[in-house]
Amino acid sequence: MKINENYTLLQENYLFSEIARKVKSFSEKYPDREVLKMGIGDVTLPLAPAVIEAMRSAVEEMGKAETFRGYGPEQGYMFLRERICNYYRSFGVYVDADEIFVSDGAKSDLGNILDLFDKDNTVLIPDPVYPVYADTNKMAGRKIIYIAATQSNGFLPMPSEKTDADIIYLCSPNNPTGAAYSTEQLKEWVRYARERDAVILYDAAYESFVEEKGIARSIYLVEGAKECAIEFCSFSKTAGFTGLRCGYTVVPFALKRKGVSLRNMWLRRQTTKFNGVSYIVQRGAEAAFSDEGLKQIAKNLLVYRKNAKIICEALRKLGIWYTGGENSPYVWLKCPNFSDSFLFFDELLEKTGVVGTPGGGFGQNGEGFFRLTAFADRKTVQKAMEKFAKVFS
């Protein structure tokens, strides 16, 4: 018996587990100190009433023999897939319901999709980056090439003709930096991928925060993207489903390599390894994308957007460089007076009780930067930025 020794290449602890350990230690040391959590991107507002009502009705259905449901389709119920199609159409994108796969979250699919690709493929990943992209490929033993996302390029790296890759990860609006690609910029990435027969894995988990005209909510706004891109989305941040777990992945019929349909490969993978999302949760997701549900979740999104503006305004007054916050729930700031983001984390926690995420945990180019999230409740955000200002003014 042999273990997968690629796991030895990973850091011992997942970034957010390490943050949780530090916060726990702080609370044990100072039991009377208030901790203001603005680190992990978990939502704080309750589910929309339309979602609750739909799930309540679904539970009642499951309690009656004539409406009880057992195993559902691994790809997701058609009622939800059609509702997702309508949601896409609301911002000018047309996908087929049979190209949509309902999942238990974008994070799972971003890792599981790698089952479709040989381990000898070369992977191109921006740095800094959401740890799951790099870690899942390290687990498989793939070669990873990093492309630098820096302050000078606005943390939106563009393709280089000197670099060749088979699998490309893009996230927009980005986690952790909050920077967002325009449709015009994505045209360059689509061209680059098609010329190399590469596949783009496009994480659009935060698309619902995009308000600015010209910023892409989907890579499929770009002509030709369906021939080279798989898109991953989530109800977690859009509708507050972090505790319910529901997302969706789009694998277009047009995406083929060596004459093989990746959509059909993914369907085969899912029917073998995945039993689908619960009927009750899918009814809730369907309600979230109903006309009334969209109005209700828009109110929650407005709260988070306002939180981001509060963070950005505080940083502007302090003269601290940042990006994100406008089309994203994340604000990415340059650590004031610190080059080590983990030391800044410790200093901020010790002096203010504010918890953020050290940029160094997202990669080499994240060092010296720090992520704050707008998902905390309003009072926490206001109090955190007041304390932040007192220490760094």
Side-chain angles (χ1 to χ4, degrees), residues 98-328:
D98 285 330
E99 296 176 319
I100 295 170
F101 295 79
V102 178
S103 71
D104 59 356
K107 180 180 179 180
S108 298
D109 277 5
L110 281 160
N112 293 333
I113 199 74
L114 296 174
D115 281 3
L116 307 190
F117 306 108
D118 190 274
K119 74 178 186 66
D120 289 335
N121 284 302
T122 298
V123 182
L124 182 64
I125 300 178
D127 177 355
V129 69
Y130 180 43
V132 170
Y133 305 161
D135 287 354
T136 50
N137 280 286
K138 288 178 183 177
M139 290 173 181
R142 287 190 184 85
K143 177 183 177 182
I144 299 174
I145 299 173
Y146 292 97
I147 183 171
T150 63
Q151 185 176 350
S152 62
N153 61 24
F155 288 94
L156 291 171
M158 297 301 291
S160 169
E161 302 305 321
K162 298 178 181 179
T163 303
D164 286 319
D166 305 300
I167 301 169
I168 303 162
Y169 282 83
L170 296 178
C171 178
S172 181
N174 187 267
N175 180 13
T177 70
Y181 282 110
S182 68
T183 304
E184 288 300 313
Q185 288 172 314
L186 288 180
K187 285 181 180 178
E188 280 300 297
W189 277 109
V190 169
R191 176 196 61 77
Y192 172 86
R194 293 183 69 185
E195 286 179 356
R196 288 157 178 77
D197 221 22
V199 174
I200 296 173
L201 304 182
Y202 188 80
D203 186 350
Y206 306 97
E207 56 77 23
S208 60
F209 286 87
V210 171
E211 292 185 291
E212 185 179 344
K213 186 177 180 180
I215 299 299
R217 291 184 63 177
S218 168
I219 196 167
Y220 299 132
L221 287 165
V222 177
E223 185 178 354
K226 289 184 179 180
E227 298 172 10
C228 68
I230 298 172
E231 184 161 288
F232 305 82
C233 298
S234 173
F235 285 93
S236 288
K237 308 307 190 299
T238 300
F241 274 45
T242 54
L244 291 180
R245 307 312 306 143
C246 192
Y248 50 99
T249 295
V250 181
V251 189
F253 285 113
L255 181 55
K256 298 180 180 180
R257 290 296 178 268
K258 298 187 182 300
V260 178
S261 165
L262 270 67
R263 180 264 174 198
N264 291 347
M265 289 178 67
W266 184 240
L267 177 63
R268 186 66 176 86
R269 189 267 177 205
Q270 292 297 80
T271 54
T272 302
K273 292 189 175 184
F274 185 58
N275 264 343
V277 177
S278 82
Y279 172 71
I280 297 167
V281 169
Q282 289 193 60
R283 279 299 186 192
E286 178 196 25
F289 278 179
S290 66
D291 290 342
E292 186 59 31
L294 287 169
K295 291 177 183 177
Q296 292 170 358
I297 63 177
K299 293 179 180 179
N300 284 1
L301 292 172
L302 188 62
V303 172
Y304 296 137
R305 289 192 183 102
K306 176 61 176 176
N307 286 349
K309 290 178 181 178
I310 291 171
I311 297 169
C312 293
E313 181 61 27
L315 295 176
R316 273 196 297 270
K317 288 181 178 179
L318 293 169
I320 297 173
W321 186 92
Y322 72 90
T323 189
E326 293 182 0
N327 296 292
S328 167

Side-chain angles (χ1 to χ4, degrees), residues 69-73 77 275:
R69 298 186 184 229
Y71 291 122
Y77 286 100
N275 264 343

Side-chain angles (χ1 to χ4, degrees), residues 15 18 22 340-347 358-362 367:
L15 172 61
E18 180 63 17
K22 284 177 173 281
D340 187 314
S341 59
F342 286 92
L343 289 179
F344 179 74
F345 173 93
D346 294 336
E347 179 84 357
F362 296 103
E367 196 52 86

